[in-house]
Amino acid sequence: MSNDTKTPAQAAAPTAAQTARTRAVVDGFLSRIADPQATPESIAALYGDTVDWMCAENPVVPWLRPRTSREGIAAHWRELGEHTVPGAGGISVDAVVVEGAEAVLTGRVWGTVRATGKEFRSPFAVRFTVENDRIVRHHVYEDGVAVAAACTPDDPAA
């Protein structure tokens, strides 16, 4: 094998430049969602025209459902804002791992649901795939039971 020939694994290996671009997009995402002046549209602008947004859909959590478009992403952030108390939530990031076009974030998320006044707290992991400097995959793993419990009114008969 000559020095110019690469195995399939080597040919598919992520480059440092690709990893750096993905890291920049993820850092931009974290900056935007932390900015109280950021609009749902400015957050959604970080995503591709089509998106594989996966989360555990739950009928009692109005903002949690799969999305497939940039407009769907903006709708998620609008709905989250409509159903939670401003300034009573946030995230903390424990780790960001990036390799090539893939990134994984882990941390904790918390908030308060407007309709019930209940708080939720959950560990989370998010997997991103970035192509052409846009997020095209956003898979969220969190404690959906805790979020659903916060969205469920107390039973007055109990």
Side-chain angles (χ1 to χ4, degrees), residues 12-25:
T15 66
Q18 183 183 38
T19 297
R21 285 192 311 274
T22 298
R23 180 63 193 234
V25 171

Side-chain angles (χ1 to χ4, degrees), residues 55-65 109 113 119-125 140-152:
C55 61
E57 190 169 1
N58 190 312
V60 300
V61 183
W63 63 89
L64 286 183
R65 65 180 171 281
V109 61
V113 176
E119 295 180 358
F120 60 87
R121 294 186 177 280
S122 172
F124 74 85
V140 179
Y141 307 91
E142 65 185 348
D143 182 355
V145 173
V147 179
C151 290
T152 303

Side-chain angles (χ1 to χ4, degrees), residues 96-114:
V96 179
V97 179
V98 181
E99 183 174 354
E102 303 298 321
V104 175
L105 310 177
T106 63
R108 300 197 62 75
V109 61
W110 63 91
T112 302
V113 176
R114 283 184 201 236

Side-chain angles (χ1 to χ4, degrees), residues 18 20-29 32 41-53 69-71 73 100-103 127-138:
Q18 183 183 38
R21 285 192 311 274
T22 298
R23 180 63 193 234
V25 171
V26 171
D27 287 347
F29 169 82
R32 276 212 201 146
E41 292 72 24
S42 72
I43 297 168
L46 296 168
Y47 289 80
D49 293 333
T50 59
V51 180
D52 174 14
W53 175 295
S69 68
R70 189 177 292 140
E71 178 49 43
I73 304 307
E102 303 298 321
R127 177 184 178 191
F128 291 114
T129 301
V130 174
E131 294 176 0
N132 298 317
D133 298 325
R134 295 285 182 258
I135 300 166
V136 296
R137 179 184 336 192
H138 180 128

